[in-house]
Amino acid sequence: MTPPISGRPRRTLVLAATLGAALTFGASGAFAGTLPVAPSPASAAKAPAAAASPASRSAASTSAAWVAGTRAYLVISAPGDSSAVRSAIAANGGTVFSAYDAIGVIVAHSASSTFAATLRGVPGVQQVGATRTSDVPADAYNPALPADPAQASTPAGEPVRADMSQIKADQAWAVNPGSPSVKVGILDTGVDDRHQDLAPNFDAADSVSCAYGKPDTRAGAWRDVDTHGTHVAGTVAAAKNGKGVVGVAPGVKIAAVRVAEPGNSFFFAENTICGFVWAGDHGFKVTNNSYYTDPWQFNCPDNIDQAAIIEGVKRAQEYAESKGSLQIAAAGNENYDLAHKTTDSASPNDSTPVTRTITNACLDIPTELPGVVTVAANGTGVTKASFSNYGQGVIDVAAPGSNVYSTVPGGGYGSKSGTSMATPHVVGVAALIASAEPGITPAQIRARLAAQANDIACPSDSRCTGTTANNSFFGEGQVDALKAVGTTPPPGAYFENLTDFAVNDNATVESPINVTGVSGNAPATLKVGVDIKHTYIGDLKVDLVAPDGTVYTLHNRSGGSADNIAQTYTVNASSEVANGTWKLRVNDNAASDTGKIDAWNLTF
């Protein structure tokens, strides 16, 4: 039974008191609403040492560079040489804390109240946005290393857990447990690398702390400042070693990227940017992202600070993907329809939350960024977990997320619930896909996850919209680890365009996809996946245009005032040569409502 929900929700719905007593945290905001779950007898033997709180650290940890009132900002410019922008930051009361020139993002600190407004007027600066509504802690300038907990004895035996059999991971292990050449990044609160069920698969050389937005490569900087990241890591890749539990992909490697800050476990935008760039530069095939970027549950593009957060994290995600890394993220635990946003009462969570009116333009970051796989949680079997967020065209796939038993720091084990727990199941399946198909691209892994997922029909619940094949509760369905290791043929060649194209009033826009390497003609069952964000789809005519100019109508001004088109169409394109430039053409036929082509794809 899923425990009840209370308090302010996060990706981490339930934290287990796995070590004999309830765990304590430095701040109440990040993991509010948690409920302890009884520990296993073996895991209650010894508790890990608590991480030092900021208040207990030596005064020597406070750098002279820090002053009260210091805030963090993203300063965004064109990628490349940032020397002029760096000089402008220094000349206007700021310092460069870290810089990512490949994506044109600088993390700047300043205690000046006019810093952001002044920098926005500097030539070459495109955006400036505060990432917090609270001060940067002094710890950012001389971070304390997380605790290295004493390890309890890991119990012998590793019975197959219900969540693993539910996605057929136990059957997949016999076919392909995963390749050690596949590296998975755990972007989270850190990982206890000395846990006996994680140590065999842990990659210390590529692990790091990105807390505060700058890589900290000291040994142990990646360790867990909570319990959440270690739990996630075990679900992905706990070793098949006769002890404790087995992860979905027990043969792959895991690296820890700690993006949470100590004391409060907040995941600010600069930390996520650092994590994504690190993932791209260090060859992570997949990353697990069971969080949203604090302090805003939803970032709205009409807010000057939040617009910079969207742009900065989006650039970092695109960079990681360009390097071959697929990001997979939790949908959230608010039982909220992400396709019909109305209010946000949880933000900002680093100071005083206020209730504000929002729209679908406001994004849960990183889960709603283009290219990110968004994961909902199943309860027992193929039900919707009561807490799981949902949304037509937002949810991609689902996985078990209720009472998931996995590793926690100090050699222990415990149960947690949340979309945080569903996401590592999908990450493990993605790692198995990558193991079975070396050289596969992020786009192809996304396509495999969708094509191999087992359909789940909507229950008798009016909130569930769509079809059995793709609906607002489960997306494409529940992931299947056995299919991931090659028991079914892979889908056909897959191509996509994730670039946004604005759909303006009474105008026509086209988004192209260049298809190459497909012999002969397109199939009679060409799949056309369409994701259009628009507030009145009755205005729209949507066509697929073949390379020779032949037009196939997909949607013709139906749907009235409904929002958004998120649908996969089947087109008989067998008379068309497959290779060439295909286009999605969208014609807006009325005034007042606008939108964009968010993404679309072709599967041959």
Side-chain angles (χ1 to χ4, degrees), residues 343-347 352-357:
T343 58
D344 172 17
S345 58
S347 308
T352 303
V354 296
T355 298
R356 56 181 180 147
T357 299

Side-chain angles (χ1 to χ4, degrees), residues 419-436:
T419 54
S420 279
M421 284 61 254
T423 303
H425 289 87
V426 178
V427 168
V429 172
L432 291 177
I433 292 170
S435 298

Side-chain angles (χ1 to χ4, degrees), residues 346-363:
S347 308
N349 62 6
D350 67 335
S351 54
T352 303
V354 296
T355 298
R356 56 181 180 147
T357 299
I358 62 171
T359 69
N360 285 346
C362 302
L363 301 179

Side-chain angles (χ1 to χ4, degrees), residues 43-83:
S43 69
K46 187 177 292 186
S53 68
S56 69
R57 293 186 191 122
S58 165
S61 67
T62 303
S63 167
W66 181 87
V67 295
T70 298
R71 296 292 174 93
Y73 301 87
L74 299 182
V75 180
I76 297 175
S77 61
D81 182 8
S82 64
S83 56

